[in-house]
Amino acid sequence: MPHRSGQRPVFRFAPSPNGRLHLGHALSAHLNHSMAREMGGLYLVRIEDIDATRSTPENEAAILEDLAWLGLSSDAPERRQSEHLAEYERALDRLKDMGLVYPAFLSRGEVKAIVRTQEEGGQPWPRDPDGAPLYPDADRLRDTRDRAERLARGEKHAWRLDMAKALALLDRPLFWMETGERWPAQIPANPRTWGDVVLSRSDAPSSYTLSVVVDDAAQGVTHVVRGRDLYHATAVQRLLQELLGLPEPVYHHHRLVLDAEGRKLSKSSSSTALAELRDKGATPSDILRLIGV
Ligand code: GLU
């Protein structure tokens, strides 16, 4: 796997403690660990517990136990996102100072209603690569006074990136370096397809997108190895790295482990949960066989 010279390779496995680990996570952790070992680099575990409504200390403890069982514990103390909120806030403040974010007041229900009205009128609403509707224009177009009054009233809001404005700041096309079986290749990044992404919400101080770029930079991550489900999300992460002046890691998006019906595994499907397999007598080498490595 290529990497930039002079730097010690740093890999990370970054589970969210909103459920137990399954076979897909085992593949991701294993690949990160083995690539780090091959390259004489570091393998770090990061706990992505920014979503306080879904993350629990019990899940975190269980994740660390599963990783220890697999022999995939972190080479250094785990970084926990909930302990770094001030860093995400600083990154958001920088984007605010650059005039690239705006307060978004529409509730999920209001967004749904706007989308439904347009679609019922026979006009499709644009969707992001995950299939979610793009955020409507209303809040971006709001005048400064209306915005200021709503903020002064303490109206609930998220902060969103003004995608068009952010892209206008770039002075060259955006790419990322992807490695793997069919790669390496420079992949053109097209963050526009995600619209005005959310950077923080009233109930979560930072979004996944913002925290992940801050964390990868803070931990000196040189290689991001994760499932293909996050392939398209890379475009926005590259954009935020450019805007915030953060280094660019190399990416490798690996195959997903699918269930018997060919679907992506979920945290709720217990048949592929590592703890369940362990309870049924599976050994760590059985897990490696099951994930095909
Ligand atoms: N926390 C994310 C997840 O569990 C992974 C994020 C990443 O690897 O960039 O899906």
Side-chain angles (χ1 to χ4, degrees), residues 139-219:
D139 283 315
R140 185 172 14 84
L141 302 177
R142 215 173 274 291
D143 70 53
T144 332
R145 187 148 152 228
D146 179 8
R147 220 175 245 174
E149 281 170 5
R150 285 167 185 263
L151 288 176
R153 278 203 300 274
E155 201 169 302
K156 244 170 108 173
H157 61 280
W159 289 95
R160 285 185 176 265
L161 183 71
D162 185 329
M163 182 58 78
K165 231 176 177 179
L167 288 173
L169 281 187
L170 299 184
D171 51 11
R172 59 197 160 96
L174 200 59
F175 290 93
W176 81 81
M177 171 68 117
E178 178 78 28
T179 72
E181 306 104 54
R182 287 180 291 134
W183 324 96
Q186 293 273 11
I187 309 292
N190 189 8
R192 197 182 293 277
T193 54
W194 290 94
D196 290 354
V197 288
V198 71
L199 299 176
S200 87
R201 288 185 197 284
S202 51
D203 59 354
S206 174
S207 66
Y208 156 69
T209 313
L210 181 61
S211 351
V212 84
V213 297
V214 170
D215 289 337
D216 285 339
Q219 294 190 286

Side-chain angles (χ1 to χ4, degrees), residues 12 14-16 25 46 48 208 212 224 226 230 237 267:
R12 89 311 192 263
S16 308
H25 297 108
R46 179 165 80 222
E48 302 214 318
Y208 156 69
V212 84
V224 172
R226 58 186 178 193
L230 289 168
Q237 294 173 24
K267 292 202 167 159

